[in-house]
Amino acid sequence: MIEVEDVHKSFGSNHVLKGISTVFEKGKTNLIIGQSGSGKTVFLKCLLGLFEPDEGQICYNGQYYSELSTNERRDLRQEMGMVFQGSALFDSMTVEGNVMFPLDMFTKQSKSEMQDRVDFVLKRVNLIDAHKRYPSEISGGMQKRVAIARAIVMNPKYLFCDEPNSGLDPKTAILIDNLIQEITQEYDITTIINTHDMNSVMEIGEKIIFLKNGYKEWEGTNKEIFKTDNEAVTDFVYSSELFKKVRQMYIEERN
Amino acid sequence: MKVKCPTIFLFLSPQVHIEHMKHLEAIGKYFIMVWEVFKKPTKWPIMRSLILKEIDELIYGSMGIIIFISFFIGGVVTIQTALNLNSPLLPKSLIGFATRQSVILEFAPTFTSIIMAGKVGSYITSSIGTMRVTEQIDALEVMGVNSLNYLVFPKIIATLMYPFAVAISMFVGILGGWIAAVFGGYAPSGEFIKGLQLDFDSFHVTYAFIKSVVFAFVIATVPSYHGFYMRGGALEVGKASTTSFVWTSVVIIITNYILTQLLLG
């Protein structure tokens, strides 16, 4: 569980985050949504510990980040997995090398133990025959799976995903969403996804936070987002005709 | 808070002043980067393989161009010296002497370093810059890896092999000079070799190696700085490579002057 208490962050005169408080629960897929420039990426980087908040606290399972020593922060980092928007796989390494990298770097496991773990996680993300291929030789969807495998190989407590299905076709995007949700529930981890994708919001948004101009404008679940009267949320989520109709049907069905 | 302008910049226009401050900031950032490179080291077995890979890429991979350039530069120095020694009173052995001095003191360590700044420096900037653009550096940092140590330290250690490349450059340069002198009919072989041995001071070789170690550090770190701190996309990677080559060359030339004054002056 991650508790965020009144987090502020500025860059010079640009006040990006303006007092955000929320709780990201364990075993749930938590989504951060909002327009470009609303502060989503800065918020995610604060949660990752890459940016330190100017005010407020972030608490990871009872540990306040600001109170941790350098070594404790390093240990905490190793409990985090991150799936980047562009996958961020190391070009010079094979798929297997990419997934093995954190194990090789931070554990004292033998080569065979590491190999077993890599085989297991690659199988878990449904990648069987790609071990020896380089990132440039596989599709975008496969790269995302490798990134997920690399993020979970250390058994993280927290999984962060920055727009995990950007650049993917709708079918692959749903597969990636479902995979992240399955992994979250299976390993009981706290997952936080930064997304623009409304399909993800509807499908896997067990908790959704909507940011606007650095403020937390709304929070709720994917069921509640259909019912909300918050104008900013409805403007953003139901901007397309298709989603407007989906919402209308949902409301009519409930009535 | 109002920042007081350093007196030295008071005569400058605001734009020039800002530009100077940017350069000072970049110099400070460069030294902080160098300090960070040596902190929180990567596990030795991983580092060892990275160092070997960089030796292969940066040194072994550059030997072809170093040998090619040194051979012809040695030949050109010989021909130009021979053509300028018109007086029959001057012995032909001076051609060998001038070639040796030029190649050992300047062409092998400095000229080769400028070539390396172009070849190796652009490679370093573009490879690290691409890693920045594609978030691979962010991925390292999220994992808790000291990305500067992981990326730059192996390059610094690999370039410590650079004096070996310079030694080969010296040998090939002088060989090129000998071939040009003998087969071009500018000096007989015996005279040329006599000139090579004339008043030989072994400190000149030491001086060249000291210079090459310093230049190697510059070639490894200045392009790394430009790649690591670049922002933007593919176009900016290209621009960073060009800027990196210009600044690496400038630093090499200034360092060359300072070292020459300190060691030979």
Side-chain angles (χ1 to χ4, degrees), chain B residues 18-249:
Chain B
I18 289 166
E19 208 50 43
H20 279 265
M21 293 311 278
K22 274 185 187 168
H23 287 145
L24 283 179
E25 188 190 337
I27 291 166
K29 210 166 158 186
Y30 167 79
F31 283 108
I32 292 169
M33 181 202 85
V34 171
W35 173 248
E36 290 290 325
V37 166
F38 295 96
K39 284 163 78 176
K40 204 179 145 196
T42 305
K43 265 164 80 174
W44 174 241
I46 295 173
M47 185 51 78
R48 187 181 53 206
S49 64
L50 289 171
I51 290 169
L52 291 174
K53 188 172 155 279
E54 295 293 0
I55 290 173
D56 183 47
E57 297 256 6
L58 306 182
I59 305 296
Y60 186 68
S62 306
M63 286 318 299
I65 188 78
I66 288 176
I67 289 170
F68 177 82
I69 288 169
S70 303
F71 182 85
F72 286 99
I73 287 290
V76 168
V77 168
T78 298
I79 294 168
Q80 287 185 352
T81 311
L83 293 176
N84 282 287
L85 293 177
N86 295 324
S87 169
L89 296 172
L90 291 170
K92 294 283 181 197
S93 61
L94 279 184
I95 297 170
F97 175 79
T99 304
R100 184 199 76 199
Q101 291 297 87
S102 305
V103 167
I104 289 178
L105 290 173
E106 218 44 57
F107 285 102
T110 312
F111 194 80
T112 311
S113 297
I114 300 287
I115 301 296
M116 289 285 275
K119 187 194 176 286
V120 172
S122 316
Y123 163 76
I124 291 174
T125 306
S126 56
S127 62
I128 296 180
T130 306
M131 286 187 77
R132 170 63 75 195
V133 171
T134 55
E135 296 179 307
Q136 293 175 50
I137 293 178
D138 292 335
L140 286 169
E141 277 165 13
V142 166
M143 285 179 209
V145 176
N146 176 359
S147 51
L148 278 171
N149 179 266
Y150 182 81
L151 295 171
V152 184
F153 186 76
K155 290 176 175 57
I156 293 175
I157 301 301
T159 50
L160 287 180
M161 298 286 137
Y162 184 52
F164 291 103
V166 170
I168 291 169
S169 170
M170 287 174 185
F171 174 77
V172 175
I174 290 169
L175 179 72
W178 178 79
I179 289 172
V182 175
F183 294 96
Y186 297 106
S189 176
E191 282 292 306
F192 188 88
I193 290 168
K194 192 177 152 195
L196 288 181
Q197 295 167 339
L198 186 72
D199 286 337
F200 178 72
D201 184 352
S202 62
F203 181 71
H204 288 171
V205 179
T206 311
Y207 155 78
F209 286 153
I210 291 170
K211 279 207 307 190
S212 62
V213 170
V214 176
F215 296 161
F217 186 80
V218 170
I219 291 167
T221 53
V222 174
S224 295
Y225 169 84
H226 283 94
F228 194 84
Y229 292 108
M230 67 142 297
R231 289 283 176 270
L235 187 66
E236 281 75 16
V237 174
K239 283 181 185 168
S241 296
T242 312
T243 315
S244 139
F245 171 64
V246 172
W247 280 107
T248 310
S249 307

Side-chain angles (χ1 to χ4, degrees), chain A residues 84 86-95 97-102 105 133-136 146 150, chain B residues 131 134-141 143 145 147 150-151:
Chain A
F84 284 89
S87 300
L89 300 177
F90 303 124
D91 300 327
S92 56
M93 295 180 195
T94 59
V95 163
N98 267 282
V99 180
M100 200 179 278
F101 183 81
M105 208 75 179
R133 290 161 78 179
Y134 283 88
S136 57
V146 179
R150 185 176 69 181
Chain B
M131 286 187 77
T134 55
E135 296 179 307
Q136 293 175 50
I137 293 178
D138 292 335
L140 286 169
E141 277 165 13
M143 285 179 209
V145 176
S147 51
Y150 182 81
L151 295 171

Side-chain angles (χ1 to χ4, degrees), chain A residues 186-242:
Chain A
E186 203 173 306
Y187 299 106
D188 198 23
I189 52 185
T190 308
T191 297
I192 299 166
I193 305 171
N194 201 348
T195 189
H196 276 126
D197 186 24
M198 288 309 120
N199 282 325
S200 305
V201 173
M202 305 300 178
E203 290 283 330
I204 60 165
E206 290 176 280
K207 175 163 183 175
I208 303 159
I209 291 176
F210 178 72
L211 298 186
K212 191 183 176 190
N213 299 329
Y215 291 103
K216 186 184 77 180
E217 181 74 26
W218 180 88
E219 78 174 78
T221 65
N222 53 359
K223 301 283 183 289
E224 288 164 349
I225 209 164
F226 280 112
K227 295 181 281 181
T228 183
D229 294 326
N230 185 309
E231 211 173 300
V233 177
T234 51
D235 263 8
F236 177 72
V237 177
Y238 305 108
S239 51
S240 78
E241 287 303 316
L242 179 68

